[in-house]
Amino acid sequence: MDEFDRLTAYGTQLILTHARLRDMLEDLRDGVYPGDELATHCLAFCDALTEHHTDEDDNVFPVLAARHPELRAFLAQLRQDHAIISGLVRGVRQDDPEALSALAAVMETHFRGEEKRLVGVLNEIRG
C-alpha cells in the first residue's frame, strides 16, 4: 500500500477512530470499569489518543499541507489542539478530576472540526 492509498483509507477510518476514542472516553466518564480495570482502561485510552494525534502530526498533516495550502492555518490550529489535549491527558493520568471533563469538551470540538474539514479531503487523495 502506498502513501496515498493509506491516506485515503485514513480519511474513512478517521470517523471510526474518533468513534472508538469517544466510546473509550464515555466508558471512563461513566465509571464502567471498576478498580484496577479503570486504571488500565484509562492508560489504554490515553495511549490511543496520543498515538492518533502523533500520527496525524507526523504523517497526515504534512501531506495535506503540501497538497492543500488552504488548509495550513486549520492544520496549525489542530496541532495547537493536540498540544492542549496532550496537557489534559497528562492531567487525566495524574487523576486530576477536572481534566477528564475538560478533555471531553476539547476532544469533541476538535474531532468535529477534523471530521468536517478533513475526511472528504483525505478520501479524495489519489497518487
Side-chain angles (χ1 to χ4, degrees), residues 42-53:
C42 183
L43 289 174
F45 164 74
C46 290
D47 288 348
L49 183 60
T50 299
E51 181 179 317
H52 170 68
H53 286 156

Side-chain angles (χ1 to χ4, degrees), residues 65-121:
R67 290 180 153 252
H68 294 276
E70 73 279 7
L71 290 175
R72 287 181 183 156
F74 180 67
L75 296 171
Q77 179 59 52
L78 292 177
R79 285 178 189 222
Q80 288 177 345
D81 288 355
H82 291 174
I84 292 166
I85 290 168
S86 179
L88 292 169
V89 165
R90 279 191 299 279
V92 169
R93 287 181 186 265
Q94 297 168 355
D95 293 327
D96 176 350
E98 295 177 16
L100 195 57
S101 293
L103 178 60
V106 172
M107 254 180 54
E108 189 55 38
T109 300
H110 176 81
F111 284 177
R112 280 189 197 150
E114 280 186 341
E115 291 165 3
K116 182 177 179 180
R117 302 262 324 258
L118 300 183
V119 169
V121 172

Side-chain angles (χ1 to χ4, degrees), residues 1-13 55 58-60 63 122:
M1 178 181 295
D2 70 14
E3 166 190 6
F4 300 106
D5 289 336
R6 187 180 62 75
L7 288 175
T8 298
Y10 193 88
T12 301
Q13 291 298 314
D55 183 49
D58 294 348
N59 301 309
V60 178
V63 172
L122 286 166

Side-chain angles (χ1 to χ4, degrees), residues 21-32 41 45:
L21 290 166
R22 284 176 174 120
D23 288 345
M24 290 176 79
L25 180 62
E26 186 176 325
D27 288 347
L28 282 174
R29 294 180 81 194
D30 291 347
V32 170
H41 184 73
F45 164 74

